[in-house]
Amino acid sequence: ETGVTQSPTHLIKTRGQQVTLRCSSQSGHNTVSWYQQALGQGPQFIFQYYREEENGRGNFPPRFSGLQFPNYSSELNVNALELDDSALYLCASSPGGTESYNEQFFGPGTRLTVL
Amino acid sequence: AQSVAQPEDQVNVAEGNPLTVKCTYSVSGNPYLFWYVQYPNRGLQFLLKYITGDNLVKGSYGFEAEFNKSQTSFHLKKPSALVSDSALYFCAVRDGHNQGGKLIFGQGTELSVKP
């Protein structure tokens, strides 16, 4: 069984640029969530996708957007990058829809550095 | 509002001794509680969860956690610590009435186990 994978591993961008991060969910999982983990902090929920539709969003501005594809993989897009966007971006997948009791399985993350 | 507190930034334990990593939470509905571990430059690994039922939950790698509703706590425990347990531990909560994927994480506790 393949776990959650993310690409790229590391990324360096400059302020104002746009970035796309990718995530492949674990086999059989139809729900994908994205989190931002700043250095020394716990992960912060960005949004969740279930069956290609956004299902819940955290306190992030609209320049953070996402997609989920029919194969349940997902993208996180960030426009107009700011220095504070530098963080580890984590993707997590879970089975069985959006039931609150399902644990989420995390990928290794993408380290984004904004200069 | 939902929140999680991990009152200790760091916990130091000698190998072979019992360990406890503390977590308290606040939710409006029934809490669904999770513990995750993060090794350097890695994503989060699921350890255990409490949904309902027995207050003592057993998880991976010999870890267990005790749910205490009156104290709104969910402390992580292990009877005998190993050096390999050294990592960053996160407690997370989800409101059982919230049909969405939002996990609220604590700030994390760095566990250091010395030989």
Side-chain angles (χ1 to χ4, degrees), chain A residues 5 22-25 29-30 32 34 49 52 67-75 91:
Chain A
T5 60
R22 294 177 176 83
C23 170
S24 292
S25 61
H29 290 186
N30 55 16
V32 172
W34 286 92
Y49 279 84
E52 303 178 57
L67 285 172
Q68 187 179 32
F69 300 99
N71 66 353
Y72 305 133
S73 66
S74 178
E75 287 182 354
C91 170

Side-chain angles (χ1 to χ4, degrees), chain B residues 44-90:
Chain B
L44 277 68
Q45 293 181 31
F46 169 75
L47 283 178
L48 50 79
K49 67 181 178 183
Y50 171 82
I51 304 301
T52 188
D54 194 349
N55 288 344
L56 185 63
V57 179
K58 294 188 182 297
S60 305
Y61 313 119
F63 284 94
E64 57 190 27
E66 187 167 10
F67 172 65
N68 187 317
K69 187 174 183 178
S70 62
Q71 297 185 3
T72 61
S73 67
F74 189 56
H75 301 331
L76 181 70
K77 301 181 180 183
K78 187 173 183 180
S80 178
L82 299 173
V83 172
S84 58
D85 293 330
S86 298
L88 187 57
Y89 289 80
F90 289 98

